[in-house]
Amino acid sequence: MAAAVPNVHRQEIESLFYHGYSNYMQHAFPEDELRPLSCKPLTRDQSNPAHIELNDPLGNYSLTLIDSLSTLAILASSSGSSFKRERALGHFKDGIVALVEQYGDGTETVLGNGRRARGFDVDSKVQVFETVIRGVGGLLSAHLFAIGELPITGYEPGEMAVKDPVGKSTIKWSNTFKYDGQLLRLAHDLGRRLLPAFSTTTGLPYPRVNLHSGVPFYRNSPLSCESEHGQCPAVPPTNRELTETCSAGAGSLVLEFTVLSRLTGDPRFEYLAKRAFWSVWERRSNIGLVGAGIDAETGIWASSFTGLGAGIDSFFEYALKSYILLSGTSVQEDPLHGNYDMEGIDLAPPLRMEHHDPKSFLQVWEEAYAGIKHHLYRGEMYMHPHYIQADLYTGAARAYWMDSLSAFFPGLLTLSGNVDDAVEIHLLFTALWNRYSALPERWSAVTGSIEGGLGWWGGRPEFIESTYHIYRATKDPWYLYVGEMALRDIKRRCWTKCGWSGMQDVRTGERNDRMESFFLGETAKYLYLLFDPDHPLNNLDAPFVFTTEGHPLLIPRSARMEYTSSRRKPMLEQVRTPAKVSSCPVPVRPVPFSISVTATRSDLFHAANLARLHLMPTIENLDSPIIEYSRDHPSITLSDVRSPSNYTYFPWTLPLELVPFNGTSSVITTRPTYDITFPALPNGVLTPGMLQRVGNGILINGIGSLRLGMIQDVPGSYGGSGDEDLYRVQAINNIPLGKDEKVFIARDIVSSVVNPQDPNFTRVRDSTMLDIVVDVAGPARKPHRSLVSIDESDGPDPILMQEAALVGVLDADSEAASHVKMALSFFANHVGSILHEQPAKPDPKYLREYLPAITPTGVGAAPVPDFVEASGPDISGAPQGLLLWNSIYVTGENCNRKLPASIPRQYQIIVIKRGGCSFVEKLENIPSFALSRTSLQLVVVVSFDEDDDESRIENLLIRPLLDSVQVTSSGLPRHSPIPLVMVGGGQRVYDVFRQAVGVGLKRRYHVHAQGIPISNLIIV
């Protein structure tokens, strides 16, 4: 892109912003938003309080002006003429003056009264999240610009500082207005009006609050009493207010509330926002996923649905950005210092010190992204990488659509350093924009069309935001062309005489009569910064962040120190000139003889194929209502009418000189998939008991008429080939399975149905791993994760299980069981309900544990003798049958002396600690004995590994090496070598054997399909 082109685009974007802003101020201010088609203000829907998509963000406090102030401040640092900078700065100052006139200066004096209200004392029930990110965030960001903590070129507030008659420092502007922190005080006023929403025992805020009366509509809140008369209504309201919030709404308050606390000295906001964040994270599922909807009063997830978009998106964003914002700050010992009223909002458990540590937020992001990448990510084998919606508890696929909100994720990945991941996901969003000249609200990767009729685009910024961040990281001109594409399409399709409209349907171009406040607050802002690489905000050497509403925030240096026990002096008069900072490191250069790294990617056309661009027609001539006004509006050109996108093929934005003349696309990878269908058996109709949810998968009790959906997508090696992925059962009939879920089939069921010579379903015995089954005596105790207890009835949690052994059935009222009921409704006509009433459990007797064991290798290794296998648990999780051996001797390392001669004759199992000497030496110290049913059958070595994570024990086991033949203590070759196996678990497992009353063995079996192992199908 020529150097002059970004300058032209900046001018266009400035004109775009002012066209919307001026019309808002003329036709809609002081109301919240503008109707660009009818040239009228858009206000709350007073006649329909349930119209939450409108009433939640609109609070009757001049929302669009507040959202636009930080964009005006950014335009005031324009790289163009000084006239443009002064114009933008003048609008910025005038906007602050207009806001103060309407809502007062935030003081307790007569100046605190505005034309509309005293502060934000308005009778509006608003959503807490929207009010924080738009209202509080917008006010704080504008305040930081006003006092010079965020940079504006040529603006030196320190030189304008004067003292008023009482000695207070103020900033005198040329419009005779004196700025002394009015916006900060108003932000504090607005924040205080949101505090009643935190009157829950979970730490999760209620979703809505009335800016005048608080939360009288939430019956269970201690603050639900009528604020004016101090008493609760005698008759509770008949309509119960919904208490369901979302992860994004509850967990995305830390940035704004932390800055508010640090600037005002009022610690309540930071504390409550952090507590809400951690309340969400601590309720994540066992597989590390966060849900969408959650009840603020109970803390229970409203559904088992998760993804990246609506309801969840900014939680991940604030995990990473909280780390950035808080980096370099101290952890305060007294987070609630000072004399502040916490009555009614301090009901939840207090935060721990580590919850204030910035690194804890980074750890949340890293763990959350690991879960997302493992469960929600579909890689290149699905044509082009993208993310899906999944089950919160199992990770099983639930839906395959992408929403426009999730377009923020490539930008977040870029900030976290995962630039390659960001680029590949962004390619698909760019292809979708190219196809529709906007991003539809929801698009299906399966059908290639808009999902559920949700085809609107309201001017959302997320796609442009990610484009900006990736360009800042890569400097690849590709993203400038992407930005140009978005700019052209917005001007062509959204322009109206009185502003910019959203689109009701991106396919038809039908427009709606609303200009959302974030269009000026975010969309225009990111577009402008994309084409202004020298903007001071793009080169600011400070831990600043853009909030999820696009407002720049930072904690000033003077407010980054540890809190003291006394109340901090509000930062209303601390102004300074930002220091000159060094430039960012030079991005990686493109390959030789090329300009764009992205344009030379081998998978460029994969995203185009997934977006179905090749099926779209070419449209030669396009009409636009903008053209009739082009003579009177110099910012409008023919290029706005004929967009470089509009149903063209890849590369959609690049001029010919950037397109390789011999460019090729790599072959699109697809993973083999097929179904295994078992024949119907006599009386083999599927019944509710034939499929059953167990701890980490599904137990199949009957195989007739069953269909297993297979996919080859599990990394692994087998049989020496080393590089081909393994198969996985991804669905049973119509039930999708998570990537980590297991499928268990009883061995006798398989033997009676499956042909041993069938190449698609071959049972193979594991020659390396087996399970030691141990019955444990002693006092009743809560069992370990691999224990089967027949007397445990103290909670709804499922009993977990090791990979090779079933250990329990979920209680019917557990969360996971509820999810299963929902998932299995998809094939109710086939199997009915899988879950049923839990069978009665037998009387308490013992605990049974299944320990993964590994066999040795080497010339001294002896095969495990033939044995009668121990039975697995029944479908209730209770042990079945007695174990083979019941005499167990537990000793130490067995290295320094020989065991008494009677031990191997009287005990069937000898347990030895690992270490101190070799395995061969341990066996050498076992005296000779005559084989019998009551003599020694097996030696078990217990490994004490430093890694105490018992979930990884099996992966850490390494086959013991017996590098010489077994001999007796006298040095003679042992006539009957002693079988040996090794288990992990250290002291805990060692103690299990000390209490053992029975030991048995259970072999492991796997299934191969076409010679390739099925990784998650286990024969039990």
Side-chain angles (χ1 to χ4, degrees):
M1 181 172 284
V5 175
N7 295 330
V8 174
H9 291 335
R10 281 199 304 272
Q11 296 173 19
E12 292 184 69
I13 298 164
E14 287 183 44
S15 298
L16 177 148
F17 173 83
Y18 285 124
H19 179 63
Y21 178 76
S22 300
N23 276 287
Y24 163 74
M25 295 300 290
Q26 178 183 351
H27 298 291
F29 180 78
E31 302 300 339
D32 285 318
E33 288 182 346
L34 169 69
R35 293 183 181 271
L37 296 178
S38 55
C39 302
K40 296 179 181 179
L42 179 65
T43 60
R44 294 171 56 82
D45 189 348
Q46 301 289 357
S47 63
N48 183 15
H51 191 185
I52 58 176
E53 59 268 22
L54 186 66
N55 292 335
D56 274 356
L58 305 189
N60 286 336
Y61 56 81
S62 308
L63 179 60
T64 296
L65 175 58
I66 294 176
D67 240 353
S68 300
L69 288 175
S70 61
T71 307
L72 283 167
I74 287 172
L75 294 179
S77 294
S78 170
S79 301
S81 65
S82 59
F83 168 77
K84 291 185 176 181
R85 291 195 295 269
E86 292 172 1
R87 179 178 67 161
L89 184 58
H91 282 300
F92 174 71
K93 295 176 180 178
D94 291 344
I96 293 176
V97 173
L99 201 64
V100 173
E101 288 177 350
Q102 295 295 325
Y103 305 100
D105 69 351
T107 65
E108 299 296 328
T109 68
V110 67
L111 297 177
N113 292 318
R115 294 177 181 175
R116 305 197 87 194
R118 184 178 184 88
F120 296 104
D121 187 13
V122 292
D123 186 17
S124 299
K125 185 168 75 171
V126 296
Q127 190 186 73
V128 174
F129 169 65
E130 293 287 357
T131 307
V132 169
I133 65 171
R134 301 196 197 197
V136 176
L139 292 168
L140 290 174
S141 184
H143 169 73
L144 291 170
F145 277 113
I147 65 174
E149 289 291 348
L150 288 172
I152 299 178
T153 301
Y155 176 66
E156 304 291 345
E159 298 176 1
M160 309 174 195
V162 296
K163 296 288 185 180
D164 63 12
V166 297
K168 186 177 181 180
S169 178
T170 62
I171 304 169
K172 185 177 181 180
W173 288 341
S174 57
N175 58 4
T176 71
F177 181 81
K178 294 179 180 179
Y179 185 78
D180 63 356
Q182 290 92 332
L183 295 184
L184 178 57
R185 290 194 294 271
L186 287 173
H188 190 243
D189 175 85
L190 184 57
R192 285 189 294 106
R193 298 180 184 280
L194 301 176
L195 291 181
F198 292 86
S199 57
T200 67
T201 58
T202 61
L204 302 166
Y206 285 116
R208 294 171 182 84
V209 65
N210 187 291
L211 295 178
H212 171 70
S213 58
V215 289
F217 33 79
Y218 292 117
R219 303 179 190 175
N220 296 328
S221 168
L223 302 181
S224 64
C225 299
E226 192 176 348
S227 58
E228 293 185 359
H229 304 290
Q231 61 183 9
C232 297
V235 179
T238 56
N239 295 327
R240 186 179 186 274
E241 184 75 15
L242 291 177
T243 56
E244 179 184 339
T245 184
C246 60
S247 299
S252 305
L253 312 174
V254 176
L255 301 182
E256 292 86 355
F257 270 13
T258 294
V259 173
L260 181 59
S261 284
R262 299 299 175 99
L263 294 181
T264 63
D266 186 340
R268 293 177 295 176
F269 305 102
E270 179 177 352
Y271 183 85
L272 293 172
K274 287 180 177 177
R275 190 171 68 182
F277 175 90
W278 289 106
S279 294
V280 172
W281 178 243
E282 289 172 352
R283 287 170 169 80
R284 66 193 183 277
S285 67
N286 290 334
I287 60 175
L289 295 179
V290 174
I294 187 170
D295 191 281
E297 291 186 341
T298 65
I300 297 175
W301 295 110
S303 72
S304 59
F305 189 90
T306 187
L308 286 180
I312 311 175
D313 49 358
S314 56
F315 176 82
F316 307 122
E317 180 183 359
Y318 275 44
L320 179 63
K321 290 183 176 180
S322 294
Y323 164 71
I324 297 172
L325 180 74
L326 294 167
S327 60
T329 62
S330 301
V331 179
Q332 62 269 26
E333 296 181 1
D334 183 16
L336 287 177
H337 61 271
N339 186 23
Y340 290 96
D341 182 16
M342 292 288 289
E343 183 178 356
I345 58 175
D346 195 23
L347 307 177
L351 290 176
R352 300 189 299 271
M353 287 300 295
E354 60 266 26
H355 288 158
H356 298 280
D357 189 344
K359 294 181 180 178
S360 296
F361 290 93
L362 177 62
Q363 184 177 357
V364 170
W365 158 249
E366 291 174 341
E367 291 182 13
Y369 181 50
I372 290 168
K373 192 68 180 286
H374 183 66
H375 296 287
L376 308 185
Y377 178 78
R378 304 182 92 195
E380 62 181 12
M381 73 286 296
Y382 295 93
M383 196 174 300
H384 187 80
H386 57 280
Y387 293 91
I388 63 171
Q389 285 65 49
D391 185 271
L392 175 64
Y393 303 105
T394 67
R398 295 286 297 275
Y400 302 95
W401 48 259
M402 301 160 51
D403 63 4
S404 61
L405 283 171
S406 61
F408 87 100
F409 202 60
L412 185 62
L413 291 176
T414 302
L415 288 177
S416 67
N418 298 287
V419 179
D420 290 340
D421 293 350
V423 168
E424 67 178 14
I425 299 299
H426 186 267
L427 275 177
L428 181 56
F429 283 111
T430 311
L432 289 174
W433 184 289
N434 177 63
R435 176 176 174 181
Y436 294 107
S437 295
L439 276 189
E441 183 68 10
R442 191 177 289 182
W443 175 85
S444 171
V446 173
T447 64
S449 59
I450 290 174
E451 175 84 6
L454 305 181
W456 62 80
W457 182 73
R460 290 197 189 278
E462 286 78 14
F463 170 67
I464 299 170
E465 173 189 358
S466 288
T467 304
Y468 161 74
H469 284 301
I470 298 177
Y471 176 70
R472 294 296 304 160
T474 64
K475 296 297 190 296
D476 191 330
W478 171 276
Y479 299 99
L480 296 179
Y481 287 105
V482 172
E484 179 191 29
M485 172 183 69
L487 173 62
R488 293 280 177 261
D489 286 336
I490 291 171
K491 294 181 70 175
R492 176 176 58 84
R493 307 190 77 190
C494 301
W495 187 93
T496 73
K497 185 177 180 179
C498 293
W500 302 95
S501 72
M503 280 183 280
Q504 193 63 32
D505 192 324
V506 297
R507 295 164 294 189
T508 65
E510 177 189 356
R511 293 178 292 176
N512 59 39
D513 196 11
R514 182 179 184 183
M515 185 177 75
E516 298 255 18
S517 69
F518 53 65
F519 181 78
L520 300 181
E522 294 185 81
T523 307
K525 180 183 298 168
Y526 285 122
L527 268 176
Y528 183 82
L529 289 173
L530 172 66
F531 291 104
D532 193 359
D534 297 325
H535 193 282
L537 206 60
N538 281 334
N539 299 280
L540 182 60
D541 185 16
F544 87 97
V545 294
F546 289 99
T547 69
T548 195
E549 189 68 13
H551 295 303
L553 289 181
L554 56 72
I555 299 175
R557 288 188 176 92
S558 53
R560 299 182 69 79
M561 302 304 292
E562 183 177 0
Y563 278 141
T564 60
S565 58
S566 60
R567 182 171 179 175
R568 178 182 299 282
K569 182 179 180 181
M571 290 196 55
L572 305 180
E573 49 192 73
Q574 300 183 23
V575 295
R576 63 178 180 84
T577 302
K580 185 178 181 180
V581 298
S582 58
S583 60
C584 296
V586 177
V588 178
R589 293 182 178 274
V591 295
F593 307 108
S594 69
I595 300 175
S596 168
V597 174
T598 305
T600 59
R601 288 178 63 99
S602 61
D603 62 346
L604 188 67
F605 286 82
H606 297 185
N609 198 44
L610 183 57
R612 278 70 164 185
L613 285 184
H614 58 288
L615 301 179
M616 301 306 297
T618 299
I619 300 179
E620 298 296 338
N621 298 311
L622 294 168
D623 296 325
S624 171
I626 196 174
I627 197 167
E628 61 181 290
Y629 298 101
S630 60
R631 292 183 179 180
D632 298 329
H633 296 78
S635 66
I636 298 169
T637 65
L638 288 178
S639 63
D640 296 317
V641 182
R642 182 167 294 173
S643 171
S645 60
N646 311 322
Y647 313 111
T648 58
Y649 198 63
F650 265 92
W652 57 94
T653 60
L654 293 181
L656 291 178
E657 61 267 21
L658 291 187
V659 181
F661 74 93
N662 61 345
T664 59
S665 171
S666 62
V667 176
I668 295 178
T669 305
T670 57
R671 291 298 185 193
T673 60
Y674 69 95
D675 289 348
I676 297 177
T677 302
F678 295 95
L681 302 177
N683 301 320
V685 178
L686 287 176
T687 62
M690 297 180 72
L691 295 178
Q692 190 161 8
R693 170 70 64 180
V694 291
N696 61 344
I698 290 182
L699 169 64
I700 297 176
N701 294 315
I703 205 169
S705 303
L706 201 68
R707 185 177 72 253
L708 302 180
M710 314 295 295
I711 185 170
Q712 189 177 4
D713 68 348
V714 181
S717 60
Y718 59 93
S721 61
D723 59 354
E724 190 169 2
D725 290 346
L726 311 183
Y727 278 107
R728 171 175 66 89
V729 180
Q730 65 173 342
I732 303 177
N733 285 15
N734 293 324
I735 307 176
L737 299 182
K739 291 183 179 179
D740 294 334
E741 285 195 280
K742 310 296 181 184
V743 177
F744 302 94
I745 304 180
R747 185 180 54 187
D748 54 349
I749 294 177
V750 175
S751 301
S752 62
V753 177
V754 177
N755 183 343
Q757 305 302 319
D758 187 347
N760 292 316
F761 202 85
T762 306
R763 190 185 70 177
V764 178
R765 190 171 75 180
D766 194 325
S767 61
T768 302
M769 297 294 299
L770 48 79
D771 289 285
I772 297 182
V773 186
V774 184
D775 283 344
V776 183
R781 58 187 175 94
K782 186 174 180 62
H784 189 258
R785 67 185 302 271
S786 58
L787 291 176
V788 174
S789 172
I790 63 173
D791 63 346
E792 182 183 30
S793 58
D794 59 347
D797 294 333
I799 301 171
L800 301 179
M801 56 189 295
Q802 294 283 16
E803 281 194 357
L806 305 177
V807 298
V809 176
L810 291 179
D811 291 289
D813 58 350
S814 70
E815 292 181 12
S818 298
H819 149 65
V820 175
K821 292 177 181 178
M822 181 182 301
L824 296 184
S825 65
F826 287 104
F827 73 123
N829 58 323
H830 295 292
V831 299
S833 172
I834 283 181
L835 298 180
H836 49 75
E837 293 298 323
Q838 181 131 338
K841 295 181 179 180
D843 294 334
K845 292 181 180 179
Y846 50 78
L847 300 172
R848 177 164 288 183
E849 180 159 0
Y850 294 78
L851 302 173
I854 192 167
T855 58
T857 185
V859 296
V864 175
D866 290 334
F867 55 87
V868 177
E869 288 195 42
S871 299
D874 62 21
I875 61 173
S876 71
Q880 296 187 98
L882 299 177
L883 299 182
L884 188 60
W885 305 307
N886 52 29
S887 56
I888 303 100
Y889 182 82
V890 181
T891 184
E893 295 177 345
N894 201 41
C895 292
N896 299 323
R897 60 185 179 85
K898 185 169 66 172
L899 291 176
S902 61
I903 297 300
R905 300 172 187 169
Q906 298 177 2
Y907 292 94
Q908 297 163 308
I909 304 293
I910 294 179
V911 181
I912 300 173
K913 289 184 177 181
R914 184 182 180 183
C917 59
S918 68
F919 296 105
V920 172
E921 291 173 310
K922 294 178 185 294
L923 295 177
E924 186 177 337
N925 285 325
I926 297 176
S928 299
F929 61 94
L931 288 177
S932 69
R933 296 179 58 185
T934 58
S935 66
L936 179 61
Q937 305 292 318
L938 181 70
V939 170
V940 180
V941 177
V942 180
S943 177
F944 287 71
D945 195 272
E946 293 182 0
D947 191 323
D948 59 356
D949 183 357
E950 301 232 18
S951 65
R952 301 178 59 223
I953 285 179
E954 184 168 336
N955 295 329
L956 294 173
L957 287 176
I958 300 175
R959 297 190 73 177
L961 175 62
L962 277 64
D963 54 359
S964 61
V965 297
Q966 294 187 29
V967 296
T968 63
S969 55
S970 60
L972 297 175
R974 195 179 291 275
H975 179 69
S976 298
I978 302 173
L980 176 146
V981 296
M982 186 170 70
V983 298
Q987 189 62 46
R988 191 200 67 80
V989 170
Y990 187 74
D991 291 339
V992 165
F993 281 106
R994 292 170 64 92
Q995 303 176 59
V997 295
V999 173
L1001 295 179
K1002 196 171 189 304
R1003 296 192 184 276
R1004 292 190 176 192
Y1005 297 87
H1006 300 287
V1007 176
H1008 287 202
Q1010 300 175 358
I1012 302 175
I1014 302 175
S1015 63
N1016 64 334
L1017 198 153
I1018 299 173
I1019 305 298
V1020 295

